[in-house]
Amino acid sequence: MRKKLKILFCLLLFSFCKNFSFSQNILWQKTFGGTGEDALYSVSETSDGGYILAGYTKPTYNIYLVKTDSNGDSLWTRIINWGEYAYDIKETNDYGYIITGQFWDTTTGQYSIGLLKTDGSGNPQWVKRFGGTICCNWGSGVVQLSDGGYAVVGTEGGLPGYPDGNDIRLIRTDSNGNMLWSKKYGGSKADITEYHSLNTTKDGGFILSGETRSFSDTTYTDIFLIRTDSNGDTLWAKTFGVDTLWESAYSIYETSDKGFIATGEEGKFPSVMENMYTVKTDSNGNAVWIKTYGGPAGEYSYDAIKVYSGYAIAGWTDSFGAKNRDGYVVRTDTNGNQIWSVLIGGNSPDGFVVIKHLSDGSLILGGNTYSFGNGDLDLYLVKISDTLTSIFSNEAQEVKGILFPNPFSEKSVLYINNINLWPEAEMKVFDSMGKEIRNIKITNAMTSFYKEGLSAGIYFYAVTSKTKFLFSGKFIIQ
């Protein structure tokens, strides 16, 4: 009889585990583009719950805009022959859009830092071009400010290939794009910005990210972070990197503790074995932690965002999946320790350059795909769920929980929502034969679970309270 009870217990646990999936479900995915090459660089949420996408389309290298509804279905597209590349787009206070990128300037015969304003249907209203007489210049980030004006960051000077001479440039304009002031940052060598390299700070200033050769100890580049006041005057500048490797930062955001999170890549020429590189700083730019993520072949990270109890980082990987460049998302805790990662893509190269955290707890990913769409390169928009956010949603009425990381070698954490509703909660741990081997009292939403003498293998757990059974699962100790 006891043997039958053990078998029944194990079958019940397997039944619970079957429905207890630690996965990041794709809620929907969409592609946009024609039969030629179309690429995405920026995605922003819009006030109607939809999204605005910006990039370029070939063969003529024109700005390409796509407006979608909340389900990612296209509402309209625009091709604008006022420049070659759109690198960042934001919705404006009048429900139009502001765009920066690399625009051709017929006056100077060079590429410029471009600033383009459209109405809510993507029709151009005005365009401004900033830059010198030396190629090449481009804008990489733009924000609208409280007075209706704009701040745009970009790179000025130099030649293709980023030889010595580039500087990072921050431009402040009025609401019509007329320049109010301009500041440059850098030294005697190449200093550049790319992707999501500009944000405002809570005190009204700006935070910029990029890479520097001017202030690196070697010929390799280092990550370059610059914090300014509202007038663009430098408050501090910091570099991060290893002497034998090159590092670049592609996005930066202020965090709730008034610090910053920046992400990019780390690698070494001529090798292609890059890693995702993320640094968390305090308010003065001092490193709190630095983490790299990836495998033996190579990864890039282009964007990172604060999510519930941690961060989500987006890019691509050659180390995992098809090993031919898959979209790659890494979810971490608040200390940068990886909790889960997810691969998204097909048999051809795919990757993400944008990640956004939505009010419903899900994540929006923007990138590019060769695997899906109409042929060649297409814009790629994907919505996925975030397991931890859904577990700890304030709207959740039933108890939910998860043990992660799973598998683990030394330590895992049991996360439970609504713990205050379940008095005298406890976690019972069982071996593969159904024998109870540990009982842990649970008093907090996060409870550490240590290996502590357990051998490698498969185990089961059940979480109960004084009044009812809550949930169960399976874990693996490596």
Side-chain angles (χ1 to χ4, degrees):
M1 182 68 178
R2 187 173 179 179
K3 183 176 181 181
K4 289 181 179 179
L5 287 173
K6 286 184 177 179
I7 292 173
L8 177 61
F9 172 80
C10 289
L11 288 174
L12 286 170
L13 278 176
F14 276 114
S15 175
F16 284 122
C17 292
K18 183 177 180 181
N19 296 313
F20 193 78
S21 173
F22 186 57
S23 62
Q24 295 66 49
N25 297 321
I26 294 178
L27 303 177
W28 49 254
Q29 52 186 329
K30 309 287 182 175
T31 63
F32 311 91
T35 57
E37 179 179 312
D38 309 288
L40 178 147
Y41 281 98
S42 181
V43 177
S44 286
E45 295 177 74
T46 52
S47 55
D48 61 0
Y51 309 95
I52 184 71
L53 288 64
Y56 72 84
T57 181
K58 284 181 66 175
T60 53
Y61 285 105
N62 288 322
I63 290 174
Y64 186 40
L65 305 181
V66 180
K67 176 68 177 73
T68 79
D69 61 18
S70 59
N71 295 314
D73 295 319
S74 177
L75 299 177
W76 52 256
T77 63
R78 294 287 181 271
I79 297 175
I80 302 174
N81 190 21
W82 282 16
E84 279 62 35
Y85 304 92
Y87 289 150
D88 196 19
I89 187 167
K90 302 284 172 51
E91 188 178 35
T92 54
N93 295 338
D94 62 357
Y95 306 108
Y97 304 100
I98 191 70
I99 302 161
T100 190
Q102 187 176 53
F103 296 4
W104 182 255
D105 191 334
T106 57
T107 303
T108 63
Q110 304 292 344
Y111 288 109
S112 63
I113 297 172
L115 192 62
L116 169 64
K117 175 69 172 64
T118 78
D119 63 19
S121 298
N123 301 305
Q125 295 179 311
W126 51 256
V127 63
K128 302 291 181 178
R129 296 176 175 87
F130 309 99
T133 57
I134 301 176
C135 178
C136 292
N137 312 283
W138 64 87
S140 54
V142 64
V143 292
Q144 187 172 31
L145 305 176
S146 58
D147 64 357
Y150 304 97
V152 57
V153 72
T155 302
E156 183 175 280
L159 296 168
Y162 316 144
D164 295 350
N166 297 92
D167 282 318
I168 295 171
R169 186 178 182 189
L170 180 63
I171 300 167
R172 176 73 159 87
T173 78
D174 63 18
S175 60
N176 295 311
N178 300 305
M179 185 188 297
L180 300 178
W181 52 255
S182 173
K183 300 291 175 73
K184 292 184 181 181
Y185 314 92
S188 60
K189 298 180 180 179
D191 309 290
I192 69 171
T193 66
E194 295 180 283
Y195 293 96
H196 325 288
S197 51
L198 170 67
N199 261 294
T200 55
T201 55
K202 293 181 177 68
D203 61 1
F206 304 98
I207 185 71
L208 291 65
S209 68
E211 66 180 56
T212 179
R213 277 198 176 94
S214 296
F215 306 112
S216 172
D217 293 335
T218 67
T219 58
Y220 294 97
T221 62
D222 282 340
I223 284 176
F224 194 25
L225 306 184
I226 305 164
R227 184 174 183 180
T228 79
D229 62 18
S230 59
N231 296 313
D233 295 321
T234 301
L235 298 177
W236 52 253
K238 301 285 184 176
T239 62
F240 303 91
V242 179
D243 289 347
T244 57
L245 300 171
W246 52 267
E247 292 87 11
S248 300
Y250 296 134
S251 75
I252 190 162
Y253 299 91
E254 188 172 17
T255 52
S256 57
D257 60 0
K258 298 183 180 180
F260 301 93
I261 186 82
T263 194
E265 59 176 311
E266 176 185 73
K268 184 175 183 178
F269 289 118
S271 168
V272 293
M273 293 174 60
E274 302 94 350
N275 279 314
M276 290 179 160
Y277 186 99
T278 301
V279 55
K280 172 68 175 70
T281 78
D282 62 18
S283 60
N284 295 313
N286 302 306
V288 176
W289 50 258
I290 296 174
K291 300 286 185 178
T292 59
Y293 312 95
E299 284 75 31
Y300 273 56
S301 56
Y302 292 99
D303 202 9
I305 196 71
K306 183 74 175 71
V307 292
Y308 180 87
S309 192
Y311 304 93
I313 305 163
W316 58 257
T317 178
D318 275 334
S319 298
F320 312 112
K323 298 183 178 180
N324 187 30
R325 191 165 296 182
D326 278 329
Y328 191 43
V329 181
V330 174
R331 175 67 152 86
T332 78
D333 63 17
T334 55
N335 295 315
N337 300 308
Q338 182 172 326
I339 296 171
W340 55 252
S341 64
V342 61
L343 299 167
I344 300 174
N347 294 324
S348 299
D350 312 291
F352 299 114
V353 296
V354 179
I355 187 167
K356 302 290 184 183
H357 191 218
L358 305 183
S359 57
D360 64 2
S362 61
L363 302 172
I364 278 289
L365 302 165
N368 299 288
T369 177
Y370 281 102
S371 297
F372 314 111
N374 293 321
D376 208 324
L377 186 65
D378 281 327
L379 287 66
Y380 194 26
L381 190 67
V382 182
K383 184 176 182 179
I384 67 172
S385 62
D386 175 12
T387 303
L388 293 187
T389 304
S390 61
I391 288 173
F392 289 95
S393 170
N394 291 329
E395 299 176 359
Q397 297 301 313
E398 60 178 321
V399 67
K400 297 180 181 179
I402 199 166
L403 185 73
F404 67 88
N406 185 9
F408 64 95
S409 58
E410 294 296 334
K411 175 187 173 182
S412 189
V413 178
L414 182 71
Y415 283 68
I416 305 177
N417 76 322
N418 293 337
I419 187 62
N420 58 306
L421 301 180
W422 312 109
E424 300 182 24
E426 59 184 11
M427 174 185 176
K428 296 180 179 181
V429 180
F430 306 86
D431 64 17
S432 59
M433 297 302 295
K435 178 182 178 181
E436 183 176 336
I437 57 175
R438 192 172 296 178
N439 189 306
I440 301 170
K441 301 297 181 183
I442 300 171
T443 57
N444 298 306
M446 302 179 188
T447 302
S448 296
F449 178 81
Y450 295 91
K451 175 182 177 182
E452 290 182 341
L454 297 181
S455 59
I458 298 174
Y459 297 85
F460 305 92
Y461 66 92
V463 178
T464 62
S465 77
K466 182 180 179 180
T467 57
K468 66 178 291 186
F469 169 85
L470 302 180
F471 62 90
S472 62
K474 175 180 69 174
F475 64 88
I476 300 173
I477 295 180
Q478 296 174 327

